[in-house]
Amino acid sequence: MRKTLTLLIAIFLFASTQAQYFSGKIIADTGEPLTGAVVSLKGAETKSVSTDYKGEYAFGYLKNGKYQLSISFIGYTTYKQEINYDGSHFIMDITLASDEFLIDAVTVAGQYANSNTPVAYTNVGKEDINKNNQGKDVPYLLQLTPSVTVSSDAGAGIGYTAMRVRGTGISRINVTLDGIPLNDAESHSVYWVDLPDYASSANAIQIQRGVGTSTSGAAAFGANIKFKTNRAKRNPYGEANFTGGSFNSSKVTFKAGTGIINKHFTFDARLSSIKSDGYIDRASSDLKSYSATAAYTDKKNLFRINILGGLEETYQAWGGVPKDSLATASGRTYNPYTYDNEIDHYGQQHYQLFYTREFNKTMNLNIALFHTNGGGYYEQSKLGRKLIDYGLKPVVIGGDTITKSDLIQRKWLTNTFRGGNLNFNYHLEKLSFTAGASFSKYDGNHFGKVIWMKNSGSAEKGHEWYRNTSAKTDASGFLSTHYTPVAGIVFWGDMQLRSINYDITGIDDDNREITQNNKYTFLNPKGGVFVDIGTTQHAYFSFATANREPKRSDLTDVEPEKRPTHETLYDYELGYKFAKNSYAFSANLYYMDYKNQLVQTGEINDVGDPAFVNVAKSYRTGIELTGGMKLFNRMDWNANLTYSQNKIQNFTEYVDNWDTGGQDTKALGETDISFSPNLIMANILEAKIYKGLSLSFTTKYVSEQYIDNTSSKARVLDAYLVNNVRLNYSFETKIIKKIDIFFAANNILNQEYETNAWVYRYTLGGVEGIYDGYFPQAKINFLAGLNLRF
């Protein structure tokens, strides 16, 4: 370890002393630095960098010669100039002029963290999205960012996938698309499979860790993920993407746009199809999606209409693999579901309208309206089910009375989700603020039908055995301010008031009455300070409060007197960043203090199903380290590491006792929160081999993590280390503007590992028994792709 560290330090120092710099600063015509502007040099070699939070950029070692300098940023006219570089330290500051016809829609103002917002965040730009968008779901695009773990039911990253940030799952992560909430109002989850390949429509993704700056939608109890969709392009374009690989996986995407018509109008569209057989037996996916955008823009106004949707059909692989089956190759891909049509079938359609009004350089107004329709079912084969559980009478055949039957059922969900966001932004030299409000209304219909029975008797086809409806309104208002009393110090404050009314009416699939009304009012204050330390360093501190209402199943899976209360999170973040030319480093300390966090203790409801209950005290604390440097001339190295402790204080476990019909309890004291590894690391090494040809090597390490909250070594996911290699080659032709080719080899060391699991424990005859399911991930697998841009 000491030799390795010494070698890395030596490489770091050598790279630093050898660099010849071409640097500068990019600012807007208003005088503000532009973060994320793309600076490109084409000539003796081709290089591209993005500006940092101060608008600064820097190239390391450059060969002497002539270069074509190009600087681009959304909403501003592209700057181009020829540069004759002689090897000296060349400094060039550029001011970009606002594009007369293409103002950027700032509908997410107040939600996106900027360069001086005191929160921990990572930006994923368009270039990285395109490079990593190989057909796998969104979690796999983000898996190398700090504190992230991912999982796939099918084992290949296509179909139902999941992600956690700092150990918290997607139902605790606030996700928005251009400021519009994507989390389901009842489950709080985002099902990435419902909008497959919308990463192809994303211009940027920001992952905020902790409470962050969320102002609408579900409460952020671990992170925020903010998507910005593509902005209109000035010139017509077309793009075709083809990907194929292991497990008969394929992705086909077509994109096209008109560019600006008559100085004001643009039209853009996308069609996508993704298919895979999956690594797990019968875990197939057939995913389709589309998007269309029409926009009008002038000097002061922007109108934009988005229509996007998706249709997914996946063969269920939710059951996992029993632990005993993991020892053999065939057992690792075992799927307990064998019925031909054991599928999940669901579609969504999103309609979105945006309006931005720029009054002057200091004031603008943004309005977003949305309407989402969803509908679908999952179909299952059930053997030997009691007819009474489906509201059916016994069937008499001859002299026999039949009380059970094999059957096929469909559980349906149809829903609508509509609402709007409004925010007003005002910027002065030292003070800026955003005031906003949001409102949403959700209506859901849950019902089940029996579509076939072996012994149907007089039961009608399509017999409905349960139905319940939901109506949920969510209204909030917020005020966010940035105040700069002196240069280099920024104070940030944010206050959100949120009100929720949630009605559920009817019976559930187990024939229980679940009618109820729940109301919540939350006040969520946030604040912090950002400080520049010289020209290359800055630090920040923030404190934020978040409150989260129980999700649907938390409220319906228990009897009324045991319904849980809301959860509260107090989030403390302390960060430091250092950046200078060819290297950068950052550290973020966090302490997330939970009150009444909902966890599984093993307690059950009145029909024996597991339920989430409030635990009084729990916490997550850790440090996130990120760094990167330019090694020599053509190599970049980036890495991140998270070390954390995730604890429940005074935990009591409950285990079903089949002998007594009750539950056994045991006080365990302080235990680890499930699915919260203490150590997460990612490493990215990219080498530019030749003009347009690059090779990258990535590594992801996740330490062991507990399956339940008991800290038992008998119920743990082993640590894993996965290595991937990708080769990219890009070139231009006279006919096709740009051709990109890639080849990826994933899990090249053929690691056998599992990323998720479930467990059920019981006692019978005085001996503990167990049912479980583990989710193995694919061994070595391959993908290759071709992208054509016109």
Side-chain angles (χ1 to χ4, degrees):
M1 181 67 183
R2 184 177 299 173
K3 290 182 178 179
T4 302
L5 183 60
T6 303
L7 177 61
L8 289 175
I9 293 173
I11 293 172
F12 174 79
L13 292 174
F14 179 77
S16 300
T17 57
Q18 293 298 309
Q20 300 180 52
Y21 299 129
F22 173 25
S23 61
K25 186 174 184 178
I26 310 301
I27 60 175
D29 49 13
T30 60
E32 297 180 353
L34 292 177
T35 301
V38 178
V39 185
S40 300
L41 287 172
K42 292 184 178 181
E45 54 185 322
T46 300
K47 295 194 173 189
S48 181
V49 297
S50 296
T51 54
D52 64 13
Y53 73 99
K54 294 181 180 180
E56 296 178 349
Y57 69 93
F59 292 95
Y61 180 86
L62 286 176
K63 295 179 181 178
N64 294 358
K66 291 185 178 181
Y67 291 87
Q68 183 68 36
L69 172 67
S70 175
I71 303 168
S72 60
F73 191 78
I74 295 171
Y76 291 83
T77 303
T78 299
Y79 178 92
K80 292 185 177 182
Q81 181 179 338
E82 187 175 274
I83 302 296
N84 191 1
Y85 183 69
D86 61 4
S88 61
H89 188 171
F90 195 82
I91 299 176
M92 191 169 187
D93 297 338
I94 302 294
T95 298
L96 294 187
S98 299
D99 194 307
E100 184 178 3
F101 303 109
L102 196 61
I103 63 172
D104 185 22
V106 285
T107 55
V108 290
Q111 293 205 25
Y112 253 72
N114 59 34
S115 58
N116 55 24
T117 305
V119 299
Y121 68 90
T122 300
N123 287 327
V124 181
K126 182 68 174 177
E127 183 178 348
D128 286 333
I129 293 172
N130 288 340
K131 185 185 297 183
N132 295 298
N133 186 17
Q134 302 166 0
K136 295 186 178 183
D137 289 351
V138 168
Y140 286 79
L141 290 177
L142 307 178
Q143 65 176 326
L144 295 176
T145 59
S147 301
V148 171
T149 59
V150 302
S151 182
S152 166
D153 284 7
I158 299 175
Y160 271 92
T161 59
M163 68 181 297
R164 295 186 175 93
V165 182
R166 293 183 179 176
T168 59
I170 192 62
S171 65
R172 294 165 174 265
I173 298 173
N174 175 280
V175 183
T176 57
L177 180 66
D178 288 337
I180 292 174
L182 287 183
N183 297 77
D184 178 75
E186 292 195 284
S187 70
H188 298 184
S189 288
V190 174
Y191 301 100
W192 308 104
V193 73
D194 291 344
L195 280 178
D197 199 32
Y198 66 80
S200 289
S201 295
N203 190 68
I205 305 172
Q206 184 177 88
I207 308 103
Q208 301 174 5
R209 299 180 296 280
V211 172
T213 63
S214 61
T215 56
S216 63
F221 259 51
N224 296 272
I225 300 177
K226 311 294 184 185
F227 289 85
K228 281 186 178 180
T229 55
N230 286 334
R231 297 296 181 245
K233 296 183 179 180
R234 176 171 290 277
N235 299 313
Y237 69 94
E239 189 172 331
N241 174 272
F242 308 94
T243 300
S246 300
F247 320 118
N248 289 323
S249 299
S250 65
K251 171 179 177 285
V252 179
T253 301
F254 297 103
K255 297 166 63 177
T258 62
I260 296 179
I261 301 174
N262 294 330
K263 297 183 178 182
H264 297 292
F265 298 95
T266 61
F267 300 91
D268 300 86
R270 173 185 59 83
L271 288 173
S272 298
S273 174
I274 300 173
K275 295 183 179 182
S276 177
D277 290 343
Y279 170 66
I280 301 298
D281 298 340
R282 296 177 299 284
S284 60
S285 300
D286 186 356
L287 317 176
K288 297 178 175 62
S289 69
Y290 63 87
S291 67
T293 299
Y296 169 88
T297 182
D298 58 28
K299 292 182 179 181
K300 297 293 183 181
N301 301 281
L302 184 143
F303 293 91
R304 182 158 58 99
I305 298 173
N306 285 352
I307 300 174
L308 61 156
L311 177 65
E312 61 89 7
E313 187 166 281
T314 56
Y315 195 97
Q316 295 173 30
W318 305 336
V321 177
K323 187 175 183 180
D324 293 342
S325 299
L326 296 174
T328 64
S330 59
R332 290 189 64 80
T333 63
Y334 170 76
N335 188 344
Y337 299 119
T338 58
Y339 165 56
D340 287 344
N341 208 44
E342 195 97 5
I343 61 167
D344 182 76
H345 179 98
Y346 189 81
Q348 275 189 349
Q349 304 84 42
H350 297 249
Y351 307 94
Q352 303 168 349
L353 173 64
F354 300 91
Y355 172 64
T356 296
R357 169 67 179 180
E358 186 179 74
F359 300 104
N360 52 50
K361 293 300 181 182
T362 62
M363 291 190 296
N364 61 66
L365 174 70
N366 304 280
I367 300 172
L369 303 175
F370 62 91
H371 182 99
T372 302
N373 293 322
Y377 61 85
Y378 66 90
E379 183 174 318
Q380 290 185 302
S381 171
K382 297 292 184 180
L383 305 179
R385 302 307 293 261
K386 294 180 180 179
L387 298 182
I388 194 173
D389 290 343
Y390 290 82
L392 295 170
K393 296 179 180 180
V395 176
V396 178
I397 300 178
D400 297 327
T401 300
I402 298 173
T403 60
K404 295 181 179 180
S405 178
D406 298 344
L407 54 84
I408 297 172
Q409 66 181 35
R410 283 182 177 175
K411 290 187 175 182
W412 280 84
L413 169 64
T414 61
N415 51 24
T416 59
F417 185 48
R418 63 268 192 199
N421 301 334
L422 178 148
N423 60 65
F424 175 78
N425 306 282
Y426 186 59
H427 302 277
L428 295 175
E429 183 178 353
K430 292 188 176 183
L431 176 68
S432 65
F433 70 83
T434 298
S438 66
F439 176 82
S440 66
K441 177 70 162 56
Y442 173 90
D443 290 294
N445 295 289
H446 304 258
F447 57 96
K449 292 188 175 185
V450 179
I451 64 171
W452 175 86
M453 289 179 61
K454 184 177 181 180
N455 302 298
S456 59
S458 61
E460 61 181 5
K461 186 177 181 180
H463 167 74
E464 182 176 298
W465 88 91
Y466 77 92
R467 177 179 288 267
N468 58 79
T469 61
S470 304
K472 185 176 184 179
T473 58
D474 189 337
S476 64
F478 75 93
L479 177 65
S480 181
T481 63
H482 286 76
Y483 175 58
T484 308
V486 295
I489 299 178
V490 180
F491 290 98
W492 168 66
D494 187 294
M495 182 66 73
Q496 181 202 40
L497 178 65
R498 185 174 178 222
S499 178
I500 300 162
N501 187 74
Y502 186 23
D503 285 308
I504 302 174
T505 304
I507 61 170
D508 212 352
D509 60 351
D510 52 11
N511 297 314
R512 288 183 302 115
E513 176 67 50
I514 58 173
T515 298
Q516 56 188 279
N517 173 259
N518 300 276
K519 295 182 179 181
Y520 308 91
T521 300
F522 301 134
L523 188 64
N524 299 317
K526 309 169 189 175
V529 60
F530 175 96
V531 180
D532 273 325
I533 308 171
T535 58
T536 60
Q537 305 172 72
H538 71 256
Y540 60 84
F541 170 77
S542 66
F543 167 77
T545 302
N547 290 278
R548 176 181 179 270
E549 77 278 14
K551 60 183 184 292
R552 171 190 164 87
S553 59
D554 297 332
L555 296 168
T556 60
D557 287 356
V558 294
E559 45 270 41
E561 64 273 14
K562 291 185 179 180
R563 285 173 189 156
T565 186
H566 70 274
E567 308 166 82
T568 301
L569 168 61
Y570 304 105
D571 181 26
Y572 304 82
E573 307 275 340
L574 177 64
Y576 166 82
K577 290 186 179 181
F578 173 84
K580 186 175 182 180
N581 296 320
S582 57
Y583 52 90
F585 168 80
S586 69
N588 186 75
L589 291 166
Y590 65 89
Y591 179 71
M592 301 168 69
D593 184 17
Y594 294 92
K595 179 182 178 183
N596 293 326
Q597 184 175 189
L598 282 162
V599 304
Q600 281 192 322
T601 63
E603 292 181 75
I604 58 175
N605 64 9
D606 54 350
V607 293
D609 291 331
F612 280 77
V613 298
N614 296 111
V615 293
K617 295 182 179 181
S618 54
Y619 68 88
R620 300 180 185 274
T621 186
I623 183 169
E624 297 164 325
L625 304 175
T626 63
M629 66 173 68
K630 184 170 290 294
L631 302 175
F632 310 110
N633 180 19
R634 296 178 177 272
M635 188 176 294
D636 294 316
W637 175 49
N638 291 279
N640 59 72
L641 177 151
T642 300
Y643 178 76
S644 65
Q645 295 288 316
N646 311 274
K647 301 290 185 178
I648 299 172
Q649 297 173 300
N650 301 318
F651 181 78
T652 299
E653 68 167 343
Y654 292 74
V655 179
D656 285 357
N657 190 319
W658 289 7
D659 296 320
T660 66
Q663 287 193 292
D664 299 326
T665 64
K666 184 177 181 180
L668 300 180
E670 186 174 81
T671 62
D672 293 88
I673 302 176
S674 60
F675 303 109
S676 301
N678 295 137
L679 186 62
I680 303 172
M681 294 190 295
N683 179 79
I684 309 166
L685 189 65
E686 184 170 10
K688 295 175 175 61
I689 301 172
Y690 182 70
K691 183 179 180 180
L693 180 64
S694 64
L695 177 68
S696 64
F697 175 79
T698 63
T699 300
K700 183 76 175 187
Y701 173 80
V702 178
S703 66
E704 70 176 21
Q705 47 190 309
Y706 293 102
I707 299 170
D708 62 16
N709 295 305
T710 63
S711 292
S712 171
K713 290 291 185 180
R715 294 177 293 280
V716 69
L717 292 175
D718 293 333
Y720 57 87
L721 178 72
V722 178
N723 298 281
N724 307 316
V725 173
R726 186 180 66 226
L727 188 68
N728 287 82
Y729 181 50
S730 299
F731 60 96
E732 300 175 357
T733 69
K734 292 182 179 180
I735 299 176
I736 300 175
K737 185 181 297 183
K738 190 174 184 181
I739 300 175
D740 301 301
I741 302 171
F742 83 86
F743 173 79
N746 303 309
N747 195 5
I748 58 175
L749 299 183
N750 222 24
Q751 171 88 24
E752 291 186 349
Y753 68 108
E754 299 80 45
T755 54
N756 200 5
W758 61 268
V759 62
Y760 168 74
R761 299 161 60 205
Y762 63 92
T763 300
L764 179 62
V767 178
E768 182 175 292
I770 193 169
Y771 292 110
D772 55 25
Y774 287 70
F775 294 86
Q777 303 301 289
K779 298 171 74 172
I780 187 168
N781 61 95
F782 306 94
L783 282 172
L786 172 68
N787 192 55
L788 308 175
R789 303 183 192 184
F790 302 91

